[in-house]
Amino acid sequence: MNDMTPTREQRSAALEGMGCKRKRVEDIRFTQGKGNYVDDVKLPGMLHGDFVRSPHPHARVKRIDDSEALKVPGVLAVITAETLKTVNLAWMPTLAGDVQMVLADGKVLFQNQEVAFVVATDRYAADDGINKVIVEYEPLAPLVDPFKSMDKDAPVLREDLAGKTSGAHGPRKHHNHIFEWTVGDKELTDAAFKKAEVTIKEMISYHRTHPSPLETCQCVCSFDKIKGELTIYGTFQAPHVIRTVVSLIAKLPEQKIHVIAPDIGGGFGNKVGAYPGYICAAVASIVTGKPVKWVEDRIENLTATSFARDYHMTTEIAATKEGKVTGLRVHVLADHGAFDACADPSKWPAGFFNIVTGSYDFPTAHLAVDGVYTNKAPGGVAYRCSFRVTEAAYCIERAMDILAQKLNMDPAELRLKNFIKPEQFPYHSALGWEYDSGDYHTAMRKMMETTGYAALRKEQADKRAAFARGETREIMGLGVSFFTEIVGAGPSKNCDILGIAMFDSCEIRLHPTGAGIARMGTKSQGQGHETTWAQIIATEIGIPADNIMVEEGNTDTAPYGLGTYGSRSTPVAGAAIAMAARKIKAKAQMIAAYRLEVHEDDLEFDIDGFRVKGLPEKFMSMKDICWAAYNSVPPGMEPGLEAVSYYDPPNMTYPFGAYLCVMDIDVDTGVYNVRRFYALDDCGTRINPMIIEGQVHGGLTEAFAIAMGQEIRYDEVGNVVTGSFMDFFMPTAVETPHWETDFTVTPSPHHPIGAKGVGESPNVGGVPAFSNAVNDAFSFLGSTHIQMPHDFWRNWKAAKQLGAVA
Amino acid sequence: MIPGSFSYHRPASVADAVKLLSDLGEEARPLAGGHSLVPMMKLRLATPAHLIDLHGIPALKGISRSGNNLVIGAMTTQHDLLASEDVAKSMPILHEAALLIADPQVRYRGTIGGNVANGDPGNDMPALMMTLGASYRLEGTGGARDVAAADFYQGAYFTALEPGEILTSVSIPVPAAGHGYAYEKLKRKVGDYATAAAAVVLTMAGGKVATCAIGLTNVHETPLLAADAAAAVIGTSLDAATLKTAAAAAAAIMAPAADARGPVEYRKHVGGIMVTRALQRAAANAK
């Protein structure tokens, strides 16, 4: 051994495997403006499409006159529902088992609904064209308030459902009712409430908002008439699902559909489902024989493609006087807008909302969700969260604070008293989930110690006294949030999309020189898959991450996968990577054994190669094994070194975290200041701590936006009034607070590398932390619950209603 | 979000610009920084057939002294204002307010002329110009005239500009040495218009307010001078009761619209608070 021989630490570091703060390889092109997004796709002869949209929230379409539009230079076609009917595409199925108009078919059901699609030689002509299409409407009474959806005299929105007394998820109670979904033991829960010493009840709303990624939804569709092939470049979080859906609804052979998702500028759930723009661009390409591009503008993105949330959750907790919870009862009124276009696994009309028991040991619980139609844009999608998990986390975390207030207990103490204990894992919740692992007490105590929680409470008490004496106009709130997520959809036993099990996949090919390519069923939209997937392979196989290229998004080359959303990539595809890597490793071991002339059981894996046990100098590196795989494999073995894995997870993963928000509010203006925000996340095994930190920063920023002002709001007659970033709160670096991040590590016992997923945790845990801080600030003035969003004027209104402002 | 077609003109002198504007009539709009007009065109809420770009006219740019007045060319950008030592020294409130306009990218492009001439009640400079007693030079085919900022604004987007006229410069009397100043702006985020804002310029003598002017932004269809509120503080040391009276007097002339920034009651309430805070800060930094 000389000085030049690298140490084990150096060999390990050279791999840049799991646990390494490896710089994001994709950023080389992104930071130089060299990304390749859908709008960068320019095909020869490409046409442009744009929508005529409805100014009315609810109206009958009496007549569409396209004659003037067709006279506009450059306008080639105007597609309406009548055109689409000729190819049986006027309506399309939604992922939630409903159907949705592609273009207005006799009626419009929300403002900015797609009415006609104008196809022109350039983007300007298309817009000139839409301004010349004359649409005659007969306005109908709009239904805006979901609480009035099931009134006896409520207007009939969905005439296509006339006479249908049941939908995809069972019986319908009313013409505007979509589904009722119940989980849990009602009798037992009602009994718990009957004998409860203390109960609370509150209607907790989680307002309508929108994922609003930087890049809007867009596509380029190109139909080759000769080959009968359709190529679609699109902003798709789940390209394979799009291919299958297109095949099923357009009746095209699936092998003749090529879906390519290039670089994507953020998804956050907005890019999971199928939108009318995709269908219209495809039909336009088939009709014209030319490629057709459709690019949504910001107004269209905010007002027409899928919103998120809009859950109104009447929540009750039963407890003992000492603060031990004994029962949970929740009824949700879910506003889906004009069509149920949720992007949930098919059997889950309210997603995984039954995670609503949260981190607490509820002996019994009951949940009922009623979905209803209103004259609003259809949805809703999972905005940076697993399906309806952020709604559930907000519901229980707000309710626990309300219970703490009623019991006059500290909210952190109440949580500690009711947490599922480490020895209870795997834990079966009252609403049917099996939590894989957790150590909630440790995480909570670490948060309390690191932040100086007790001292902050003391400061708050002093400040309240000073406020009472008239010495300050500022109030202080501490927002505690302890969330448990359910991510990684999902096991085939309970998760599918349109009948396709929610597995995911990885194919790894190693090349002779010790390099390779990994192709995935997932699709990064900014998560950094090209960086982190290579790190898993580096650690598993012993090839440097820099030698592994990761490719996603092309359905012709990638193995079938269900895509990236719901924090499923690491729990499902991350596992597939490890499993594929282990298949390769097993073959590599056989090759090494053959070359080193020992039995393979005599070998042990050592960072970047195999070593003969007890003979440290007898070593074969993975680099050399790769070469050998192409020229000297054992007799009878096929050459090459590649593997594919389709991973069907045995369970979901359950990341958790303890957050604290410290906020000051000026009661005279309602202006808040997030003085401090601490986020402890436990996502199991950590693949790239730098990327985790970035994910947490991003998710917290979105949580901050949502809790403190970001909403899609309709006026009382159904006009959407938040159609731009002027009124839809999108914080800049100036408004965004400073984030402190921390972690504990509780690996998932069933995941090959113990990882749980983290991208959405901060949004799930962040929203209740902000809202609890506002509510905690006002609680001493006598309030129990103030609805989100907590923007300045609403804070002032709360202060005024509580008598703090004259 | 795609504008309709229009013809583009780039005159090299004010005379050419005025002639074009006059010849092309109502179908023509002058283009300065474009931060109000271009978004309106992208939404097709404005569909001018002709755009007359004023960027080719060197005479419209620059900051100079004329007697006790600072004369600022209409095409001088907010960034130019921020870069000017003269503005920073002699008229620090202009510096302070310019920094509260949108973000650096907008300030590189946005001009003082466009800001004051458009008649948008959300713009910050008009109330400030009224507070400072500024006047605007308007030039048309018939010649030039000066109009006081206080007489310029007639309604939302309605001003004293006659068809064919262009606002070419702003003339601002330099406030007395040692004056106190403040521009208090409540906004939801960077880039937003004011929920309410107040400009105060005052002088103090013997611990009492000697002179005072108060301007209000975005609480009415035009910018406002809060004359009663200003009168109420003269001769006082801005005690709590006086501040309350002044805030109430200012709120009494406010008539904001309810919008996503808040209901009318809130916007008036915080308008009063902006007045109070601006008075206190101006008094504190007066010498």
Side-chain angles (χ1 to χ4, degrees):
Chain A
M1 294 269 182
N2 58 43
D3 290 340
M4 298 301 285
T5 308
T7 63
R8 297 192 82 241
E9 287 70 28
Q10 286 168 332
R11 282 163 56 210
S12 181
L15 296 177
E16 295 195 285
M18 284 194 280
C20 170
K21 293 182 182 179
R22 183 179 186 225
K23 282 192 181 171
R24 287 166 38 113
V25 294
E26 44 273 87
D27 286 350
I28 294 166
R29 63 179 190 277
F30 292 155
T31 55
Q32 297 182 60
K34 299 291 183 192
N36 181 42
Y37 297 90
V38 172
D39 206 19
D40 293 318
V41 174
K42 293 178 176 70
L43 302 179
M46 188 174 74
L47 305 175
H48 298 259
D50 197 1
F51 281 112
V52 175
R53 292 179 181 273
S54 169
H56 301 283
H58 192 194
R60 220 165 277 294
V61 177
K62 307 289 283 184
R63 186 174 68 94
I64 300 175
D65 180 354
D66 62 7
S67 54
E68 288 303 308
L70 288 168
K71 289 178 194 163
V72 172
V75 171
L76 300 179
V78 177
I79 292 171
T80 64
E82 296 311 310
T83 324
L84 295 179
K85 279 178 186 171
T86 64
V87 283
N88 205 22
L89 284 173
W91 292 69
M92 62 178 181
T94 72
L95 296 178
D98 197 358
V99 289
Q100 176 179 352
M101 288 181 205
V102 174
L103 290 169
D105 184 13
K107 236 181 139 177
V108 287
L109 289 164
F110 65 96
Q111 192 179 54
N112 277 3
Q113 185 179 336
E114 300 82 359
V115 175
F117 190 70
V118 173
V119 186
T121 49
D122 67 67
R123 192 68 186 78
Y124 288 86
D127 214 302
D128 289 343
I130 63 172
N131 282 285
K132 293 287 184 188
V133 174
I134 297 162
V135 185
E136 197 182 306
Y137 297 96
E138 177 194 329
L140 299 168
L143 173 60
V144 183
D145 182 352
F147 287 91
K148 293 179 179 159
S149 272
M150 293 201 280
D151 283 359
K152 216 174 155 193
D153 56 351
V156 177
L157 304 194
R158 292 288 298 277
E159 288 168 355
D160 61 299
L161 299 178
K164 289 196 178 166
T165 52
S166 71
H169 305 286
R172 299 171 65 223
K173 296 186 271 200
H174 182 275
H175 54 257
N176 293 326
H177 186 238
I178 309 171
F179 64 84
E180 182 185 19
W181 188 60
T182 59
V183 194
D185 190 325
K186 189 168 187 316
E187 262 176 52
L188 210 58
T189 306
D190 289 347
F193 274 86
K194 272 208 187 93
K195 62 179 184 191
E197 293 169 351
V198 181
T199 60
I200 59 121
K201 181 176 185 177
E202 191 69 55
M203 207 290 285
I204 298 166
S205 276
Y206 196 144
H207 57 285
R208 181 176 279 235
T209 182
H210 195 281
S212 54
L214 187 59
E215 176 202 38
T216 59
C217 297
Q218 35 200 274
C219 70
V220 178
C221 294
S222 181
F223 185 68
D224 183 326
K225 280 190 176 172
I226 307 301
K227 295 182 183 165
E229 294 183 12
L230 178 64
T231 303
I232 307 174
Y233 300 86
T235 48
F236 305 134
Q237 291 181 234
H240 283 100
V241 177
I242 293 285
R243 187 184 71 190
T244 302
V245 169
V246 170
S247 174
L248 291 173
I249 67 176
K251 308 277 187 286
L252 281 170
E254 197 167 355
Q255 82 278 10
K256 294 201 171 190
I257 303 165
H258 315 289
V259 176
I260 299 163
D263 286 331
I264 296 183
F268 313 115
N270 186 225
K271 295 168 179 171
V272 174
Y275 295 117
Y278 308 155
I279 307 288
C280 288
V283 171
S285 182
I286 291 168
V287 169
T288 62
K290 300 262 177 66
V292 176
K293 178 183 271 188
W294 169 69
V295 175
E296 222 183 19
D297 68 27
R298 183 60 58 190
I299 296 172
E300 293 173 301
N301 181 253
L302 285 173
T303 62
T305 51
S306 278
F307 75 91
R309 326 294 195 233
D310 221 344
Y311 259 34
H312 307 280
M313 309 171 286
T314 302
T315 311
E316 298 169 84
I317 297 180
T320 65
K321 280 183 298 199
E322 290 74 35
K324 193 89 184 77
V325 296
T326 55
L328 175 71
R329 198 158 54 192
V330 182
H331 177 267
V332 179
L333 182 69
D335 184 345
H336 287 269
F339 310 96
D340 184 0
C342 272
D344 293 334
S346 298
K347 294 189 197 83
W348 301 88
F352 305 151
F353 188 85
N354 53 329
I355 193 73
V356 70
T357 51
S359 315
Y360 313 105
D361 188 12
F362 278 95
T364 180
H366 186 256
L367 163 68
V369 183
D370 278 300
V372 295
Y373 293 120
T374 58
N375 288 119
K376 299 178 195 165
V381 298
Y383 169 7
R384 203 173 186 142
C385 68
S386 190
F387 317 97
R388 301 294 185 184
V389 173
T390 185
E391 289 93 330
Y394 181 62
C395 177
I396 187 64
E397 287 307 289
R398 197 70 271 293
M400 288 300 276
D401 261 28
I402 293 166
L403 177 64
Q405 192 182 347
K406 180 144 189 181
L407 291 165
N408 202 22
M409 266 178 85
D410 184 274
E413 190 195 329
L414 178 71
R415 283 170 171 83
L416 282 165
K417 188 170 259 188
N418 287 289
F419 278 151
I420 300 161
K421 296 181 181 71
E423 62 271 21
Q424 286 177 281
F425 291 93
Y427 172 81
H428 292 266
S429 78
L431 293 177
W433 294 115
E434 184 190 310
Y435 293 32
D436 60 349
S437 64
D439 183 352
Y440 299 164
H441 295 81
T442 300
M444 187 70 158
R445 291 200 179 105
K446 187 172 182 185
M447 178 278 274
M448 293 170 76
E449 281 160 27
T450 313
T451 58
Y453 181 77
L456 287 165
R457 281 290 176 206
K458 169 78 173 60
E459 184 193 347
Q460 182 187 40
D462 292 347
K463 242 182 144 166
R464 285 176 172 178
F467 184 87
R469 292 193 301 269
E471 291 165 12
T472 179
R473 298 293 289 158
E474 210 173 67
I475 56 176
M476 173 178 169
L478 295 182
V480 176
S481 159
F482 196 101
F483 66 94
T484 294
E485 269 196 294
I486 170 169
V487 304
S492 58
K493 64 186 177 216
N494 45 25
C495 292
D496 71 276
I497 287 185
L498 303 174
I500 300 165
M502 292 183 74
F503 57 84
D504 224 292
S505 60
C506 171
E507 178 203 88
I508 303 171
R509 291 183 193 172
L510 294 186
H511 309 321
T513 57
I517 182 169
R519 289 186 166 125
M520 310 290 307
T522 49
K523 177 61 210 169
S524 179
Q525 308 121 44
Q527 290 87 344
H529 289 177
E530 288 168 53
T531 307
T532 49
W533 293 162
Q535 288 182 257
I536 298 176
I537 295 168
T539 295
E540 287 286 340
I541 302 186
I543 294 283
D546 275 350
N547 290 10
I548 304 293
M549 186 170 86
V550 173
E551 194 183 270
E552 298 177 316
N554 184 333
T555 55
D556 284 342
T557 53
Y560 203 109
L562 276 283
T564 293
Y565 42 87
S567 280
R568 65 184 301 280
S569 296
T570 294
V572 190
I577 296 167
M579 299 312 272
R582 287 171 193 182
K583 287 183 191 178
I584 285 181
K585 201 160 129 187
K587 184 171 178 182
Q589 187 165 358
M590 287 193 266
I591 295 168
Y594 174 66
R595 301 283 297 151
L596 293 168
E597 298 177 332
V598 294
H599 190 274
E600 57 185 89
D601 289 347
D602 295 330
L603 291 177
E604 60 187 359
F605 188 72
D606 180 25
I607 300 173
D608 51 7
F610 284 95
R611 188 180 302 286
V612 179
K613 291 174 192 167
L615 291 171
E617 70 286 357
K618 291 205 76 174
F619 178 81
M620 188 170 186
S621 71
M622 276 306 298
K623 189 171 192 287
D624 292 341
I625 294 170
C626 285
W627 188 260
Y630 289 87
N631 58 33
S632 48
V633 294
M637 179 187 274
E638 290 179 7
L641 201 51
E642 57 183 77
V644 59
S645 171
Y646 282 73
Y647 188 78
D648 180 6
N651 192 4
M652 308 279 188
T653 62
Y654 297 77
F656 58 92
Y659 290 3
L660 182 73
C661 174
V662 185
M663 191 185 297
D664 299 309
I665 301 170
D666 169 9
V667 292
D668 289 323
T669 57
V671 173
Y672 55 79
N673 174 39
V674 178
R675 196 200 308 171
R676 196 164 171 199
F677 197 102
Y678 170 91
L680 179 148
D681 276 285
D682 192 321
C683 58
T685 303
R686 292 154 59 84
I687 300 166
N688 182 326
M690 183 193 72
I691 284 188
I692 290 172
E693 195 180 14
Q695 288 274 32
V696 173
H697 285 192
L700 288 177
T701 304
E702 286 181 325
F704 164 71
I706 294 166
M708 305 314 288
Q710 188 178 83
E711 64 173 329
I712 294 291
R713 198 156 53 87
Y714 287 80
D715 68 14
E716 62 281 4
V717 291
N719 298 302
V720 57
V721 297
T722 46
S724 81
F725 281 165
M726 189 60 102
D727 289 320
F728 181 84
F729 179 46
M730 182 61 72
T732 72
V734 175
E735 291 79 38
T736 303
H738 176 75
W739 311 119
E740 292 170 53
T741 58
D742 205 344
F743 63 96
T744 55
V745 178
T746 311
S748 168
H750 63 77
H751 188 279
I753 60 169
K756 289 188 170 188
V758 76
E760 299 168 334
S761 300
N763 200 332
V764 171
V767 172
F770 289 108
S771 185
N772 280 346
V774 173
N775 276 285
D776 185 62
F778 282 110
S779 62
F780 79 113
L781 298 169
S783 75
T784 50
H785 177 66
I786 300 162
Q787 301 287 12
M788 290 194 291
H790 304 294
D791 49 3
F792 298 161
W793 76 264
R794 286 180 174 99
N795 289 342
W796 171 80
K797 189 176 130 197
K800 194 170 163 65
Q801 283 171 347
L802 294 166
V805 180
Chain B
M1 296 285 270
I2 302 286
S5 67
F6 56 87
S7 300
Y8 175 82
H9 308 267
R10 192 179 171 97
S13 70
V14 172
D16 288 350
V18 163
K19 184 166 187 320
L20 271 170
L21 204 52
S22 167
D23 291 350
L24 297 169
E26 286 183 3
E27 293 295 297
R29 290 286 302 271
L31 176 72
H35 281 295
S36 299
L37 181 57
V38 173
M40 299 280 272
M41 289 171 65
K42 287 170 80 171
L43 293 168
R44 301 206 181 202
L45 295 171
T47 53
H50 301 275
L51 273 191
I52 300 167
D53 186 352
L54 305 179
H55 284 89
I57 308 174
L60 288 179
K61 226 168 147 53
I63 302 167
S64 61
R65 282 270 181 167
S66 172
N68 189 41
N69 281 24
L70 211 55
V71 178
I72 306 173
M75 292 298 285
T76 306
T77 64
Q78 313 292 354
H79 173 75
D80 295 335
L81 292 180
L82 289 169
S84 161
E85 271 185 44
D86 203 2
V87 167
K89 272 189 199 145
S90 63
M91 230 172 264
I93 192 171
L94 197 52
H95 194 272
E96 181 177 313
L99 265 180
L100 292 171
I101 295 173
D103 52 62
Q105 282 172 297
V106 170
R107 296 195 290 261
Y108 276 121
R109 191 91 194 147
T111 65
I112 189 164
N115 193 298
V116 302
N118 200 33
D120 183 340
N123 286 349
D124 293 289
M125 287 296 175
L128 197 59
M129 292 302 127
M130 290 166 71
T131 308
L132 289 164
S135 67
Y136 303 151
R137 171 142 304 186
L138 314 181
E139 296 188 43
T141 46
R145 63 187 179 117
D146 291 320
V147 175
D151 299 328
F152 184 74
Y153 300 98
Q154 299 168 345
Y157 304 102
F158 282 96
T159 67
L161 271 172
E162 294 292 337
E165 277 186 324
I166 292 173
L167 189 154
T168 55
S169 67
V170 172
S171 178
I172 315 170
V174 174
H179 72 281
Y181 65 91
Y183 189 63
E184 284 286 338
K185 178 179 181 180
L186 178 65
K187 56 182 177 178
R188 296 170 297 178
K189 61 174 278 193
V190 162
D192 194 14
Y193 293 116
T195 302
V200 166
V201 174
L202 53 69
T203 55
M204 301 291 286
K208 293 190 189 311
V209 179
T211 65
C212 180
I214 303 173
L216 304 172
T217 296
N218 215 21
V219 287
H220 193 270
E221 61 170 359
T222 64
L224 296 174
L225 265 184
D228 290 348
V233 302
I234 303 289
T236 75
S237 53
L238 295 175
D239 53 284
T242 301
L243 287 171
K244 209 171 168 184
T245 307
I253 61 169
M254 297 176 194
D259 64 13
R261 292 170 190 83
V264 171
E265 191 191 6
Y266 172 71
R267 296 188 63 188
K268 287 175 73 164
H269 174 81
V270 293
I273 288 175
M274 292 303 108
V275 169
T276 308
R277 292 181 181 176
L279 281 167
Q280 286 174 309
R281 191 153 62 81
N285 67 30
K287 293 182 183 80

